[in-house]
Amino acid sequence: MAPVKATAVGITPQIIDDEELSKLQKTLNSFSINNTGADLNESSEIHRLLELLNNYSEWKFEEQVDLYEWIPALNSIDTILSHYIANYPKILLLKPMERQSSSLRDRGVIKNQYAECAEDTESVPESVINGICTILMFLSSLLSNCTNKSVFNSTEEVVDLLAAGDDSIASFALQTLAHVATPPALHKQQAPDGNQHSSALHTSKTESHKRLVSLARGWGSRGSGLGLYACVTADDSEFGQGELPPAAGEINFEFFSPAVAADSDAMQLDSDGNEEDQRKGRIDHKLVSIHIPTEEIVNVAVNSGSMDTDAENSFTAKKQKRQRIGTRDTQGKGMKTLSTARLFFKSLEAAGGREKIPEDRLFALLADVRLARSFHSTSSRISAVENRLMALISILHAHPSQDIMSGYFQAQPELCVELIDLLRPTVSSNTVSSASTKPNGSSSLNSIKALACPQEVPYLVRNLAVEALTALVARRDGASGGLTGVARQSNILNELGVGKGMYLGLLPTLVRYSLASLTNFLTADEQVLSSRFSEKESEMDDVALDIGLAFLKASSPAEISEKDQVFRALRFVDSVLTLTSAVVSAPSGTAALTDCGMIPSLVSTAAFNTQTPLKALVNLSTDLSTRDIAHIHGQVRFVASQAIQIIEGAIVTHNNALSAFHDLKGVDVLITRLEKEMIAAKEEQLAIEADSMDTDIMPSEPQKRKLVASRRVLLFSIVNCLTVVFHQESTSSTVSNGGAQLRKPALTFVITEVMNYVESYGGVFAALICTLLSDVMNSDPHVVYHIHQSGIAKSFIEMVKGKKLNASDKIFEPIVPPAPELIMALPNVIAALALTSEGASHVSQANPFPALLKILYHPKYAMPRSRCLLNEMTAITGTGLDEVMRHVPTLRTQIMEAIVESMNDVILIGKKLVEREENNAPTDMHDSPATSLENERTCLVQYTLNFGQMLEQILHTEDHCEPFVDAGGLTAILELFPLLIPPTTQFLANASCLSSPSVSTLSHTTTEDSLTTSFRCIAMNYDSQKMLNILSKTIELGINSVEETQRLIRDSFPSAKFDVSVSNALEKKNAALDAIGILDGMPNVGIHELRGSSNYVKKAKCLADYLRAIATLQWQISLLSTVVKAACQSSQDGGTGWGRAEREWKKELSSTKFENLLSRLAEFQHSAILEACRVRSQKEYESEFRQRHVKLEDKGRSVRYRLKIVCQEGAVVRDGTEIDSCSNVGSMEMGEVTDAFERCVNSSGVMRYRTCRGWVSELTRGHGREPITEVLDVSFVDSALVPKVRLKLKSKKRMEYNVASIRSVGASILARLQTSYRDLFCSLNRVISHGIRSLTTRTVSFDSGTIGAHTKTLLRVMLTSMTNALNQPAIVQVVAHNDVKDSALSSAGVAMYLG
């Protein structure tokens, strides 16, 4: 079985209100069961886990859990099931399927072993069968009540169990697959899932779908007397009238033999050995038939060892109840049926052996064997129909081929009608009349009993039929989004009675009857129910009646308790509404159901008051526990929630539905229900806190609200429906509107309640409230006054600002839940609150902007703790703030000041982090999780990215740039970038491991690009002269930093060869910036080989500071080029070359200060490029470069790369080095840290790292080449500690790539200056060209202050720079004097320098 490879890093924990469920989750996640072979048989942990799972074979909770939070539990369960399958392969009748990933086979789970005879299957211990059944039952219940089913990674193993010799295992495996395929119930989700449902079953490329299609076949069709209804209702008693065609109980299987069978053994196909019959046509053109008559399936001696016995099927009472298997007494005649395994091997023997049957037809044979075996009793036929319906549900939801599904329904054209036949008895005239005409006012209980205990079709079969119809309707055509050809071919809507004028159609009648029955029961008072119980007592007084009832009871199945009747009725109503919801999603279905009176039934259902129903039943029935009562209340809320969601869907697509909803005062009904639920939550929490207090004084206001999953879902559904209704009203001419409703106390209370207790209600629900609030205010600005006066605005501002950690503390801690929907909605509400001048004044006084921006740089909302700000969510926030500033200009300065203040906070955080990182010595951590410093570094990168993306949206507006720069924003951007480059050994490790250090980003591409884009927006819209002035000062500081660190490098890494050169160079103007020989003293080994050397940390810091200063200077020079280009573009667009604005920034370029700055830059750039060429032209460099691509043969130790995922989209983990041809085996998220012990470059030129989970890439393959991983540390590790992970065979096209030396890394970083320096001179050349074109040929003047003087100065600067570049002493010595021996540069280096 495959362990879960998905990661839960950054997933916001789900709100779980049920303490028992929370405890179960923690307990299961705490298990740590490792696959250690046979020792697992005696493991007490396994027995404890199985015992715990057995207690939860049926789901007892309201929540739909998020599978991301159950990954550790799934992996423990995975280990046990893997152990069972690997160590007891005889449990399978067929060999396991071929896997998509070979790594699964390498784990020892997949073995080509299976049972060779029936005795092999019977030899499997009962404890193993029980354990597998327990696991499958728990997985089935979990998967039927969860979201994110794509996390479940064990589909192929469950499909293998479909071929188990034990019928219980096969049935539970099929049930598990059906729940994997079925989408999560929308009406039970606390937050809408925007992703389309998908799972490993949907994307499976194995024969999983083929097996399910085989299981979805039945005995025959309706026309042959073997329809679903006939099979489940046929009477097998001696006096039964429903005789079924007996041929369905025989095994008749045909296949094409792989080769012509010529020998006599191959001719012996029939079990009776009649060779003459076979020669008459049993074998015809390789078509082989297997026939086993009914007598050989059931007419066997009772005491024979080949029959099913009670001992063979004694798992648990649950299994017997669910599967109805065990000793089969066919038609009461004492006949027994052979076990599935014996019948299967009997069929193989009849075919001449397993090898005579094509491998791809073996499972079809097994399916036919199970089908024929189950035909001979009512209970077994019902079980077989249940299995067929579950297989049908699975393929309808998960089968990817429309053609195969179309062929399936073409072969069974009456299947849709057969499914409908299973539902017709529920709304037949007999059922309805018997439920409504009982005396003594007991019709309410009888109506529930009619839903829970159908007289003809078994309850589970009927429910599965509804689910199959739902799957058929919900299956969508990818091209048009409408009903698929299969659904149209089956004429599903017409068969359901969904059409214009079909008031008495099946589905409309079923909806009305089910909801009316439920409403009748829920509104029944205590007197009615007590009369029902007293009726039972009075019946016992009649002796004759007593005898008759005793005989009836003895000859009838046990009656279900009232409690179970209620549970089953609610589940059936839930299934019917799910089918209705699928029909409503089709426009034609909405119109037809609306015309048939669906809206009134749904509105009445939505009006259920769950605080008062079932009081009589609770008081009179003694078998209801507290959890049972809560469960009933929860199911009623789910029914109401689904009814409201159907109303919402109908309103969106059909105007008549909206009119009918308004006629029934649906808005008032929903708001009333909303208010009652919130009041109930408050009162329940008040009672809980009162019970926990010793004093008799009742608390006036609880600190939180008591909520359960069903109440959360109901509240969400109501508010979502109201939002849709108000939006529809804003575009129509209806009388009712959201503004009028918002002025009423009920809705005001609701909104204020959510804002005040946002932590209890959750971020998604609060986002929906904010959306409703902003929509109403934007459509009706007059309501803004009420919002401020009623306290809604105050509650909202307080929610945004947060709360103080301490009473004396002035710092507020954000309380906004980490939900992207809520964060995105906050600026919209602020903008709506400021729609009026008075509202803008209130917002300005409250000043919520610093608190709002605090969200962008708080670890609660950043990776690796939360994904809520990923996917450009902060860009949306920036768009919202831009709207506020454009519509309310008075708030612009306040917002800009808040932004700059927040950026300065991030700068302070970054400086403190760098200081702690520099003081933190590297340690050897083997595959340990991220440290606190590593997590803080991840947060800092995301903080910077958040502000960069936000500023991109804000600064594109010209009016916003000046207040931003005036507030200090430009300086803040320039200070942020250096903090993105990690210090000390982390920087050296990452730079040493880059595949292309000369061009790859040393920080983070997306973050760097966002800051550069923001700076470019300012350059286009702000005063160029001021920009040049600020940037010149910044570059001056950058050059000084390079000069200082370069001096330290010469002191720490002295070079005797270049001491003379340096001393002679002191006479030069910028001698301290001369980089020639700076790399000669650096070590010519990798960073990992310096570990443990003397002064390692100190020297590493010195190296890192120097190279970081160069990288920062390179970025600053590129910004200078951007400013010059933007200024030129503005001048050209303005049409003048020497206007007032142009004159100022051009004078700045031709000033003495700027000329000196360019001179220093040129001096350093020339020497740096010269030094890079010197190093790269040495023989040692070429030798090291070649050695870098040779695999190290060091058996004692390996290189360990500590990796961190830095890409926002995370990393895809594959089982090989190639990207296109290797399988996706998992993912990793931003901020995750892992170890890699091997790396190479694949055939696409992408660096790949091998981790314990698979291979990940260094960079993306797209145009941007964004970094995916970042190396935090490189070190040697004992080879014995390297985990042995078997993945795909190594690619022949891979290229080894070892760690570069420090000297090579330095040369690569120095070479990066060439690009930025070239861009700078290209931009200056553009200025000169523009200046020359602006000169007048008749009156050319080069006087000070003229355009001629400006152009002349720039020409002189560029000429001087180029002359100095060519007059380097080393160049002159080689070129002019041909003296290579005493030169610091070889001829190859000179050639490289000159290009």
Side-chain angles (χ1 to χ4, degrees), residues 66 331 340 416 505 624 643 656 717 842 1213:
D66 186 350
Q331 300 179 358
T340 298
C416 183
L624 279 176
N656 290 345
S717 300
H842 287 306
V1213 183

Side-chain angles (χ1 to χ4, degrees), residues 900 903-904 907 964 968-977:
V900 175
M903 293 177 68
N904 289 331
I907 293 171
F964 176 75
L970 184 61
T971 304
I973 290 177
L974 296 174
E975 291 183 13
L976 270 176
F977 176 80

Side-chain angles (χ1 to χ4, degrees), residues 599-601 603-604 658-669:
I599 299 298
S601 299
V603 171
S604 63
L658 179 61
S659 301
F661 181 74
H662 281 308
D663 293 341
L664 297 168
K665 297 184 178 180
V667 173
D668 294 333
V669 169

Side-chain angles (χ1 to χ4, degrees), residues 185 187-188 569-579 635 638-639 642:
H187 64 285
K188 293 184 179 181
L570 288 171
R571 283 195 291 268
F572 178 70
V573 174
D574 185 274
S575 299
V576 171
L577 289 181
T578 302
L579 173 59
Q635 291 301 313
F638 283 136
V639 169
Q642 193 166 14

Side-chain angles (χ1 to χ4, degrees), residues 664-703:
L664 297 168
K665 297 184 178 180
V667 173
D668 294 333
V669 169
L670 294 183
I671 292 177
T672 302
R673 180 67 186 274
L674 185 64
E675 183 185 23
K676 289 181 178 179
E677 290 292 337
M678 287 194 168
I679 292 175
K682 177 180 178 180
E683 291 176 348
E684 290 176 13
Q685 182 62 35
L686 197 64
I688 292 175
E689 294 185 6
D691 293 340
S692 62
M693 297 176 64
D694 297 332
T695 178
D696 295 334
I697 302 177
M698 293 284 290
S700 58
E701 188 68 25
Q703 297 299 315

Side-chain angles (χ1 to χ4, degrees), residues 1304-1317:
S1304 299
V1305 172
S1308 299
I1309 294 179
L1310 288 176
R1312 298 165 66 94
L1313 289 169
Q1314 178 66 22
T1315 303
S1316 58
Y1317 194 74

